[in-house]
Amino acid sequence: QPITGNADHTRHDGLELTGMVRFMDYLTLQANATFSDNRVVRHTTFYKVREQWTGQYVVVPISLDGRRIAGFRDVLANLRVTYERDQWFASLATQYMGDLFTDNFEDLERRVDPSIVFNFLAGAKFPQIAGLKDIELRFQINNLLDALYASHGEGDEFFPAAERNVFASLKVNL
């Protein structure tokens, strides 16, 4: 199958980078990125199509050689800035997701567009309060700018990512 079947030969090349820099004991910058090239080296798929003039069905071979493999993004990148001072912390993160095709034919109508999403996290950690230990209070906003985008797709189906969402949590170790 052109979407989920196994190709005769594929190639997956890539590079992953990660780094972290700490400024002034309370500010941290973290980043990572993945750059990849995922291609069909050798694969032919066959389709049964109806001829326009005769109305008869014929089998047509279609070579997928050299095309991008569906479901793989060529670029994924994350950048996070974190502030930590005493028991308080705050973090702003951004994630870039490159485009991906939803089938192996590289049809532009079956492509998930690139997207950028921002997330925010803030909270505090307390070693002990009223006999309870290791208390952590968190407040998190995902998709801070309420971006509308598709997270992935398969064939003609596209799956939207969550709109802005908010979480609050309290963690207590007994």
Side-chain angles (χ1 to χ4, degrees):
Q1 293 182 0
I3 296 173
T4 60
N6 291 326
D8 298 328
H9 185 195
T10 62
R11 188 188 76 239
H12 304 266
D13 297 323
L15 174 66
E16 295 182 28
L17 303 170
T18 186
M20 182 183 85
V21 177
R22 183 173 293 275
F23 301 96
M24 301 172 274
D25 293 336
Y26 55 86
L27 195 61
T28 304
L29 178 67
Q30 297 171 291
N32 65 48
T34 300
F35 305 94
S36 64
D37 184 34
N38 302 282
R39 300 265 174 192
V40 174
V41 174
R42 185 180 60 254
H43 186 66
T44 300
T45 188
F46 298 90
Y47 275 97
K48 188 176 180 182
V49 296
R50 178 179 260 176
E51 285 188 327
Q52 183 178 2
W53 306 111
T54 66
Q56 294 180 339
Y57 285 96
V58 295
V59 175
V60 176
I62 298 174
S63 172
L64 298 178
D65 297 1
R67 297 184 192 205
R68 285 176 54 184
I69 300 173
F72 286 93
R73 297 181 189 270
D74 287 348
V75 179
L76 289 171
N78 297 285
L79 179 66
R80 177 182 301 271
V81 176
T82 303
Y83 171 85
E84 294 179 277
R85 191 79 174 222
D86 301 321
Q87 72 266 19
W88 303 98
F89 62 89
S91 181
L92 180 64
T94 183
Q95 180 179 44
Y96 172 79
M97 297 160 283
D99 69 338
L100 68 85
F101 286 98
T102 64
D103 67 20
N104 291 330
F105 295 103
E106 293 185 334
D107 182 346
L108 291 178
E109 292 181 9
R110 292 182 175 170
R111 182 180 79 123
V112 174
D113 291 329
S115 56
I116 296 177
V117 179
F118 292 88
N119 300 311
F120 175 76
L121 170 68
K125 297 177 185 177
F126 303 97
Q128 186 170 350
I129 295 178
L132 300 173
K133 295 179 181 179
D134 299 325
I135 299 168
E136 185 174 334
L137 179 63
R138 289 177 159 237
F139 178 74
Q140 183 170 344
I141 304 173
N142 296 318
N143 195 356
L144 185 65
L145 302 179
D146 203 21
L148 299 177
Y149 65 99
S151 62
H152 66 286
E154 190 170 309
D156 289 325
E157 297 180 7
F158 294 85
F159 302 95
E163 296 178 9
R164 180 183 305 122
N165 54 88
V166 178
F167 293 92
S169 66
L170 174 65
K171 177 179 149 185
V172 177
N173 288 333
L174 301 176

